[in-house]
Amino acid sequence: MGLFSWFCNEKEIEEEICEERKKDFSNFIKITEFIYEKSGITELDKRALTSSRLQNYAISKDVYTTDEFLVQMKNDNQFYQEIINIATVNETFFLREIKELDWLVNYIKDENRPLKILSMPSSSGEEIYSILLMLNDKGIDTNKLDITGYDINSQAVSNAIDGKYDEHSLHKIVPTLRTKYFSTTDDSIYMIKSKFKNQAQFMQKNIFDLVDIKENFDVILSRNMFIYFDDKKRKLALDIIVDLLKKDGIYIKGHADHIYKHPQLENICYGVYRKIN
């Protein structure tokens, strides 16, 4: 066989392989429906950019069709987690929606007792660390607090544990407080002081895996999580939050969250609710 003939045969084989692995993500709604059932995240099929990113990630893992995609999500936890990480947006920053945080800081001060606090979703930690910084700035003892963050996005949890942030995350924190509570690196990354990192814990958890679990938190912040859900999942998520609260426990929602009227919650001010029975 001549060199030219060999080259042609090799090229034909490559073309056949490429043809066999031609991508086919038709009926992609099967993927988004599976993600919805497991995580509550809705309308992913209507987000063209997110769908494209999900498909590109699948191809990078040699997954080329909708059916292969489904099988991989069901059988490979790491693959599924990366899909969830891509599907969830973690756009947040320190001192976000400050009015509710001010209310909470005053509540903690007035209660002056051990409190178990949950932030869900905790994203990359800015909410929890904001609370700790605000309490510290007012001279309030934080050693009585048991404060935990849950988030479905494993990368966000890892970032929260690392406690490293860029300029955008800190844009509402004045320079004097940046110096007081953060150290900096040569590439303008701000690292929160270890004192605060040691006072919080972060875990990768899906709210819908918490059905029938009663953790008995005194305070739950769940801000701007409901924007991912439809009415069915919002109702279930709120029921879970109420079950996780102690009697007289406090629930704080996000400005963008739409919740239904719950018989065990009374609105005490703007986005703050108390569990009444």
Side-chain angles (χ1 to χ4, degrees):
M1 179 184 295
L3 179 61
F4 180 74
S5 298
W6 176 85
F7 174 78
C8 289
N9 288 338
E10 285 293 304
K11 187 175 181 182
E12 287 172 4
I13 291 171
E14 288 178 3
E15 288 175 350
E16 288 176 6
I17 292 172
C18 288
E19 186 64 29
E20 289 174 5
R21 302 301 295 155
K22 185 177 180 180
K23 68 178 182 179
D24 179 10
F25 292 117
S26 58
N27 206 13
F28 194 69
I29 193 170
K30 287 183 179 180
I31 305 299
T32 59
E33 285 176 347
F34 179 82
I35 295 171
Y36 167 76
E37 288 302 324
K38 290 205 55 152
S39 70
I41 302 169
T42 190
E43 296 189 338
L44 280 176
D45 54 303
K46 297 180 181 178
R47 304 178 200 172
L49 181 59
T50 302
S51 294
S52 177
R53 287 173 176 167
L54 294 176
Q55 292 173 22
N56 288 337
Y57 175 74
I59 291 170
S60 76
K61 299 298 180 181
D62 294 325
V63 173
Y64 287 84
T65 70
T66 298
D67 289 342
E68 290 175 358
F69 203 133
L70 280 171
V71 169
Q72 197 74 8
M73 282 198 298
K74 292 175 181 178
N75 297 329
D76 186 336
N77 290 335
Q78 183 175 350
F79 180 89
Y80 174 74
Q81 185 59 58
E82 287 299 327
I83 292 301
I84 291 299
N85 291 354
I86 294 168
T88 50
V89 178
N90 287 284
E91 172 59 32
T92 188
F93 47 84
F94 281 83
L95 307 182
R96 186 180 189 185
E97 298 183 4
I98 190 67
K99 185 161 66 171
E100 286 82 0
L101 295 185
D102 277 331
W103 185 94
L104 177 59
V105 166
N106 288 325
Y107 174 80
I108 292 170
K109 179 181 179 181
D110 293 341
E111 289 293 302
N112 191 29
R113 62 184 174 89
L115 292 172
K116 192 173 182 181
I117 299 173
L118 173 65
S119 169
M120 177 177 62
S122 54
S123 187
S124 41
E126 286 93 334
E127 180 171 82
I128 283 179
Y129 291 135
S130 291
I131 295 166
L132 289 171
L133 299 189
M134 292 170 70
L135 289 167
N136 190 82
D137 209 44
K138 288 180 175 286
I140 300 171
D141 182 16
T142 56
N143 290 319
K144 296 179 180 179
L145 301 181
D146 178 349
I147 188 161
T148 302
Y150 292 165
D151 201 283
I152 194 172
N153 187 312
S154 62
Q155 185 58 57
V157 171
S158 178
N159 292 343
I161 293 171
D162 286 345
K164 296 178 181 179
Y165 302 96
D166 59 16
E167 182 73 29
H168 171 72
S169 291
L170 274 71
H171 73 271
K172 287 200 170 186
I173 297 183
V174 298
T176 53
L177 293 184
R178 292 187 189 190
T179 302
K180 184 176 181 181
Y181 295 129
F182 297 84
S183 57
T184 57
T185 64
D186 293 338
D187 51 356
S188 298
I189 296 297
Y190 295 83
M191 296 182 293
I192 196 160
K193 297 288 180 69
S194 58
K195 169 186 176 181
F196 303 104
K197 287 174 64 173
N198 294 337
Q199 289 186 301
Q201 59 179 335
F202 297 92
M203 304 177 196
Q204 190 273 320
K205 287 184 182 288
N206 177 356
I207 184 173
F208 299 112
D209 292 336
L210 303 178
V211 177
D212 299 327
I213 295 176
K214 297 186 183 297
E215 291 280 2
N216 290 319
F217 289 97
D218 297 285
V219 179
I220 296 178
L221 300 99
S222 182
R223 306 199 297 167
N224 303 320
M225 177 175 66
F226 283 48
I227 60 175
Y228 287 107
F229 304 152
D230 61 9
D231 288 341
K232 175 185 174 182
K233 292 295 187 180
R234 287 188 192 114
K235 183 178 186 304
L236 178 56
L238 190 60
D239 287 342
I240 291 169
I241 288 170
V242 170
D243 284 344
L244 290 172
L245 279 172
K246 295 179 181 177
K247 185 178 182 299
D248 295 321
I250 299 297
Y251 160 56
I252 301 177
K253 78 177 191 70
H255 292 178
D257 286 331
H258 171 71
I259 66 170
Y260 75 100
K261 186 175 176 63
H262 195 286
Q264 289 181 269
L265 293 176
E266 65 172 354
N267 183 217
I268 55 179
C269 61
Y270 30 94
V272 181
Y273 297 78
R274 177 180 284 114
K275 182 175 178 178
I276 54 178
N277 54 52

